Amino acid sequence: SQQGEEDPQALSIQEGENATMNCSYKTSINNLQWYRQNSGRGLVHLILIRSNEREKHSGRLRVTLDTSKKSSSLLITASRAADTASYFCASDMVDYKLSFGAGTTVTVRA
Amino acid sequence: ETGVTQSPTHLIKTRGQQVTLRCSSQSGHNTVSWYQQALGQGPQFIFQYYREEENGRGNFPPRFSGLQFPNYSSELNVNALELDDSALYLCASSGVAYNEQFFGPGTRLTVL
C-alpha cells in the first residue's frame, strides 16, 4: 500500500504558468521528499523538507509542509517544457525507507 | 562522483523463470534500496540493504530476495516469475548522513 497520495493526478499548463500539486500522507514522518521522473526512467531528487520545517525553496521550486494536516505541496514557478514529467512525493518513514504516492503527471504546453 | 547504475536496461522473461537484476551504488554510499514501479503507479519499497545485511522489507513475497556485496553493489533476485512482476525496478543508494536517495535509471522487466 502507498503512504501518500498526490492531487491532481494530471495537470496541463501553458509554458510560463505556475504548477501546483499536493500530497497527503497517512502516518508521522521524519522528512518528505519530492522526486521527478521523466518518461518512466529513474527518479531525480528535487527537494527534501524535514518534519520541523514549514517551507523550503530551491530555484523555481517551493515546497510547503503541514504536519498537522499531513500534507505537502510543490509549486513550480514559471514552468518550462522541460518540466514535463511525473512528480512524486515520498514520505520518509524510518531508515531511509521511502513510501511514494501515485504521482502527478505534469504537461507543459509550449 | 559515479552515479547509480543498473543492469540490464531491459529484460524479457517468461512466467516461472528466475531473474537477477544488478545495481552499483553511488560512490561512498553503503545503503541500497530496491523499488518496484508498476505502470502508472509510484514506486513500492521492496527491501533495503545496509552493509550487506537486509535492513527492512516491504510487502513482497520471499521469492523476491537480494544481496549486497562488500563494495555495496547489490542484486535483486526474483524466482518463479509471475505476469504481475512486469514493472520498472529501481535501485537507490544513500549515504549515512542524509535521507536523500539517488536513483538509478531502472531495469524494465517484462514477463510473458
Side-chain angles (χ1 to χ4, degrees):
Chain A
S1 62
Q2 297 190 279
Q3 157 88 312
E5 292 184 5
E6 283 92 345
D7 170 59
Q9 289 185 339
L11 188 57
S12 180
I13 55 173
Q14 202 74 31
E15 205 165 22
E17 293 182 335
N18 295 341
T20 300
M21 59 209 85
N22 303 297
C23 164
S24 60
Y25 56 92
K26 298 173 185 174
T27 62
S28 296
I29 58 171
N30 296 321
N31 311 291
L32 189 131
Q33 304 181 49
W34 285 89
Y35 286 84
R36 184 185 74 225
Q37 185 177 41
N38 293 84
S39 301
R41 299 305 304 275
L43 281 78
V44 174
H45 185 266
L46 296 176
I47 197 164
L48 179 154
I49 185 165
R50 302 198 183 279
S51 58
N52 61 354
E53 296 176 312
R54 291 297 168 257
E55 187 170 313
K56 201 161 183 180
H57 296 255
S58 177
R60 295 184 294 113
L61 305 179
R62 173 180 163 249
V63 167
T64 63
L65 180 64
D66 187 335
T67 53
S68 66
K69 295 181 180 178
K70 292 186 170 60
S71 67
S72 174
S73 69
L74 171 66
L75 167 68
I76 305 172
T77 60
S79 62
R80 305 166 181 169
D83 295 327
T84 294
S86 292
Y87 292 82
F88 296 90
C89 69
S91 51
D92 174 357
M93 296 181 287
V94 291
D95 292 340
Y96 314 127
K97 301 176 187 66
L98 298 179
S99 182
F100 287 83
T104 293
T105 299
V106 174
T107 302
V108 181
R109 305 186 308 272
Chain B
E1 187 176 83
T2 306
V4 178
T5 60
Q6 291 186 245
S7 62
T9 305
H10 296 90
L11 202 53
I12 299 175
K13 291 285 189 178
T14 56
R15 198 169 47 180
Q17 285 188 312
Q18 179 265 342
V19 69
T20 297
L21 310 181
R22 295 178 176 83
C23 170
S24 292
S25 60
Q26 184 159 314
S27 176
H29 287 179
N30 57 16
T31 303
V32 172
S33 302
W34 285 91
Y35 296 83
Q36 179 196 66
Q37 186 179 21
L39 201 61
Q41 300 295 317
Q44 296 275 338
F45 174 73
I46 302 175
F47 44 57
Q48 181 185 87
Y49 279 84
Y50 170 67
R51 293 186 175 180
E52 303 179 59
E53 296 287 330
E54 187 177 289
N55 183 41
R57 187 179 185 92
N59 189 26
F60 280 82
R63 59 188 186 85
F64 285 78
S65 62
L67 281 174
Q68 187 179 33
F69 300 99
N71 66 354
Y72 303 132
S73 65
S74 178
E75 285 183 355
L76 164 65
N77 299 291
V78 187
N79 294 321
L81 284 167
E82 300 177 0
L83 297 180
D84 285 348
D85 295 334
S86 294
L88 181 68
Y89 288 85
L90 297 161
C91 82
S93 73
S94 50
V96 175
Y98 300 101
N99 298 97
E100 178 181 350
Q101 296 193 11
F102 293 85
F103 281 80
T107 293
R108 173 76 60 189
L109 173 65
T110 302
V111 182
L112 303 176

